[in-house]
Amino acid sequence: MLCVKPDRPVDPIILAILREVDQLTGELALPYFVAGATARDILLTNVYGMNTGRATRDVDFAVAVESWQQFEAIKARLTADGRFNASKNTLQRLYYRISAEGPGYPLDIIPFRGVEQPRNTVAWPPEMKVLINVVGYEEALAAAMQVQVDGGLVVRVASLPGLAVLKLFAWLDRGDEDSKDAQDLVTLFRQYADAGNLDRLYGDEIGLLEAADYNLDLAGPRLLGRDVSTIAAPQTLGQLRSLFSEPTIADRLVTHMAKMMRGVDDPVIAAERLFEQFKVGLSGK
């Protein structure tokens, strides 16, 4: 189990939301994991003491439900006592009430498993409009980490490899209109070596470090790619390898990543090197 550093506590508002949802999903016996920017920050900032460079503006919970009735029960229970308000426009969103004024702090509850349509998409009734691509969510759930975020509160958080899978597919869904997922991928690639993996790179994975000429900046994304290949289901892994073997898609991601690499002499080349190492690791090498 991982633990938050005493000098890097989780924001009290986020803690309050984590506590509420963890307790409720436990009572309903529904598996979940913390996803998105909150998962990134809990692991990289609160556990490993790193700076992620992008502020968290909401909390994402992915919950494995068997029906829309179970999902609606979660929303009904959370809003019953007035501590959460439901969004009028975004069906998966609630707001945690910080004060009597203002909308509150956003909480997105992302359902998957029993409500999925073909091709791993969630379509919202009654219009059945596609809401989100949930490829990789089952793998992220299986690989989620137990993290003690506060005294007595342990939550399941998407692992960094699991988060990388979700970010890759999220970028594929909205890459043309929003590059924040590419920014998160840059963060994961650059910080993975220092995120609890140095002992591995200088130990059991020394061969990988040697292949990267002992450059931790390159060994990190390569190890991340290998770890993704370990947790991803064959179909998911096949999709990733196929999609990113397409030069147009790969070049677009590298371009988006390069925009996030400020202070680098040639950001496009630097981004390409990181991504190429990740793809080598994704191939199992």
Side-chain angles (χ1 to χ4, degrees):
M1 182 174 67
L2 300 176
C3 297
V4 166
K5 288 181 176 293
D7 61 341
R8 293 279 187 151
V10 177
D11 181 278
I13 295 172
I14 294 177
L15 270 181
I17 296 172
L18 295 176
R19 196 178 302 276
E20 292 274 359
V21 182
D22 176 76
Q23 179 177 337
L24 177 56
T25 52
E27 292 173 0
L28 298 176
L30 295 176
Y32 79 86
F33 62 91
V34 181
T38 305
R40 177 203 67 200
D41 288 351
I42 288 175
L43 293 179
L44 292 180
T45 300
N46 304 118
V47 172
Y48 294 114
M50 303 177 189
N51 179 17
T52 62
R54 186 162 71 85
T56 303
R57 297 185 179 89
D58 57 15
V59 178
D60 292 338
F61 267 84
V63 184
V65 297
E66 297 305 327
S67 66
W68 285 110
Q69 288 76 17
Q70 283 188 337
F71 175 76
E72 291 300 331
I74 296 172
K75 290 178 64 177
R77 290 276 297 272
L78 288 173
T79 57
D81 60 7
R83 281 179 288 186
F84 289 86
N85 292 328
S87 169
K88 296 179 181 178
N89 301 315
T90 307
L91 295 173
Q92 80 274 19
R93 180 162 295 170
L94 303 175
Y95 290 96
Y96 180 71
R97 296 188 63 185
I98 303 171
S99 64
E101 299 179 355
Y105 200 95
L107 161 66
D108 283 351
I109 301 175
I110 305 165
F112 67 102
R113 188 175 287 178
V115 294
E116 292 180 31
Q117 301 294 310
R119 301 177 67 86
N120 300 107
T121 57
V122 172
W124 212 279
E127 295 88 358
M128 302 307 290
K129 182 179 179 181
V130 172
L131 168 68
I132 192 172
N133 183 334
V134 291
V135 177
Y137 275 60
E138 289 288 355
E139 293 100 308
L141 175 63
M145 312 289 292
Q146 296 274 2
V147 182
Q148 183 172 335
V149 293
D150 196 27
L153 178 59
V154 177
V155 297
R156 292 183 61 82
V157 179
S159 66
L160 297 180
L163 194 57
V165 173
L166 302 187
K167 286 294 178 182
L168 285 165
F169 282 108
W171 176 83
L172 285 163
D173 277 354
R174 60 190 178 201
D176 285 330
E177 58 193 54
D178 191 341
S179 58
K180 68 179 183 180
D181 298 304
Q183 179 179 349
D184 284 339
L185 287 167
V186 169
T187 299
L188 292 175
F189 291 168
R190 293 171 113 180
Q191 298 187 344
Y192 194 63
D194 290 320
N197 290 306
L198 289 178
D199 287 345
R200 293 176 65 199
L201 286 169
Y202 284 103
D204 293 342
E205 301 292 351
I206 188 66
L208 187 152
L209 185 58
E210 291 172 348
D213 292 328
Y214 292 91
N215 185 331
L216 287 172
D217 292 337
L218 299 181
R222 187 162 177 169
L223 180 61
L224 177 59
R226 184 181 291 181
D227 288 345
V228 166
S229 74
T230 300
I231 70 163
Q235 183 177 0
T236 302
L237 189 57
Q239 287 188 57
L240 287 174
R241 289 172 175 167
S242 175
L243 285 166
F244 290 107
S245 66
E246 294 288 336
T248 302
I249 295 176
D251 289 348
R252 181 159 54 91
L253 178 56
V254 166
T255 300
H256 282 190
M257 289 171 56
K259 293 177 181 179
M260 309 301 156
M261 300 182 69
R262 300 177 181 88
V264 177
D265 289 339
D266 194 327
V268 173
I269 290 178
E272 188 172 31
R273 291 179 73 196
L274 292 177
F275 187 54
E276 285 302 316
Q277 287 297 319
F278 175 78
K279 287 199 297 182
V280 170
L282 198 65
S283 70
K285 298 179 181 178

